Amino acid sequence: MPENKSRPPQGQPWENGWAPDTSRAPGTRRLWLAGGMAMATVIACVTAIAISERESDGDSAAASTPAADSTVPGLISFATPSGTAPPTGKSGLSPERPAPEAPHEQNASKPEPAPSESPSGAAGSPTKSPKPPATTTWRSVRSVNYPDRYWHMSDGRVGLDQVRGSESREDSTFKQVKGLADSSCYSFATRDGQYLRHRNFVLRAERNDGSALFTQDATFCPRASAYSSGATMLESVNYPGYFLRHRNFVVRLERYDHSSLYLADSSFRLVDGLA
């Protein structure tokens, strides 16, 4: 029987007369296995990334579309201003309406009426005073905080001036009559038959054109002044909450406020006519 020889160690083929098997590259099976695992890992990673990006895109689209009644973060939202209740009583009695433009921007004779802060019911606010006398009375209107100055006609407008001479006295004397638009209030007429009315918020003398606008512009309701006992504030009929006051010695119509300067400038004494 042939003698069985043990196979020599593979690490020393030439010394023992053995040649290595060169029919295939060493480690081929392991290389294929490693390559397959690497490919599987790459495919799994690519799939996971694609799925995560798709979910991220969907979340971003949902987040970028705000709900109809939601507020987008980062945008400043302005609350709708709440209106104040219309004042009660005679002073400032009217429904709420939009505020008019500033006096210097007025081009029309009568801007939209706009009661704002009502003087009624407020501390130190004017209150209704007794009804005017039934008979025609000649009056001069004297300032409370400038007692040496009176309403005075000059170039068609009413200013607050000192009295100098007889002509100045005549121009500072007016006929007080029942209000053209409200008989419980006052209207003031000049000696030549014109009436004092506010236009562009400035008191001036003009002829009565018979219009409803003119009669309202020329009617002022007396209110007792909280600034000085016995003094009177004159509130516009068609601008409730607006009173005649002097500013830079020009008599004009301005919205009521609670400052001591406003109360002083809008307080007058109706005294006997100077002329």
Side-chain angles (χ1 to χ4, degrees):
M1 294 184 63
E3 184 178 358
N4 291 327
K5 295 181 178 180
S6 61
R7 188 173 184 178
Q10 296 295 315
Q12 299 174 345
W14 307 109
E15 290 81 353
N16 297 282
W18 290 90
D21 185 4
T22 59
S23 61
R24 64 185 179 88
T28 304
R29 184 177 300 171
R30 288 194 296 272
L31 290 175
W32 278 104
L33 181 60
M37 292 179 65
M39 290 296 294
T41 302
V42 172
I43 294 173
C45 290
V46 172
T47 302
I49 292 173
I51 293 175
S52 64
E53 288 181 352
R54 185 179 305 170
E55 293 176 353
S56 176
D57 291 342
D59 295 341
S60 299
S64 63
T65 306
D69 57 350
S70 64
T71 301
V72 180
L75 295 181
I76 300 176
S77 59
F78 297 90
T80 302
S82 57
T84 56
T88 58
K90 180 69 176 177
S91 177
L93 179 59
S94 69
E96 281 193 292
R97 283 164 285 188
E101 300 173 356
H104 65 277
E105 297 176 353
Q106 294 296 328
N107 294 322
S109 173
K110 174 180 173 295
E112 291 297 324
S116 171
E117 300 177 14
S118 169
S120 299
S125 62
T127 57
K128 183 178 179 181
S129 61
K131 292 183 178 181
T135 58
T136 300
T137 307
W138 291 97
R139 295 288 190 189
S140 292
V141 184
R142 186 175 67 195
S143 170
V144 166
N145 54 346
Y146 289 89
D148 62 336
R149 291 176 178 264
Y150 296 78
W151 285 11
H152 177 252
M153 285 298 309
S154 178
D155 297 327
R157 298 195 307 175
V158 180
L160 196 67
D161 297 324
Q162 296 175 332
V163 176
R164 296 183 176 87
S166 59
E167 183 177 353
S168 178
R169 289 177 177 272
E170 291 181 358
D171 291 338
S172 297
T173 302
F174 306 94
K175 183 168 60 175
Q176 177 185 308
V177 298
K178 291 184 178 181
L180 299 180
D182 186 339
S183 61
S184 66
C185 300
Y186 296 148
S187 289
F188 298 93
T190 61
R191 291 183 177 274
D192 60 359
Q194 299 184 86
Y195 284 87
L196 304 187
R197 56 90 60 93
H198 67 81
R199 183 159 60 85
N200 294 335
F201 295 106
V202 175
L203 191 65
R204 62 191 72 220
E206 293 184 1
R207 294 287 178 184
N208 185 358
D209 60 10
S211 66
L213 173 60
F214 185 97
T215 59
Q216 292 175 5
D217 286 352
T219 303
F220 305 93
C221 296
R223 310 287 179 228
S225 171
Y227 180 80
S228 178
S229 176
T232 299
M233 299 176 68
L234 296 169
E235 182 181 19
S236 170
V237 163
N238 52 347
Y239 284 84
Y242 283 67
F243 293 78
L244 292 176
R245 65 151 322 164
H246 65 83
R247 180 191 290 274
N248 297 327
F249 300 116
V250 175
V251 182
R252 53 188 304 111
L253 191 67
E254 289 191 7
R255 180 181 295 174
Y256 178 87
D257 69 51
H258 300 277
S259 67
S260 58
L261 177 61
Y262 181 95
L263 292 175
D265 288 350
S266 60
S267 296
F268 301 98
R269 297 190 187 278
L270 304 183
V271 299
D272 293 338
L274 297 177

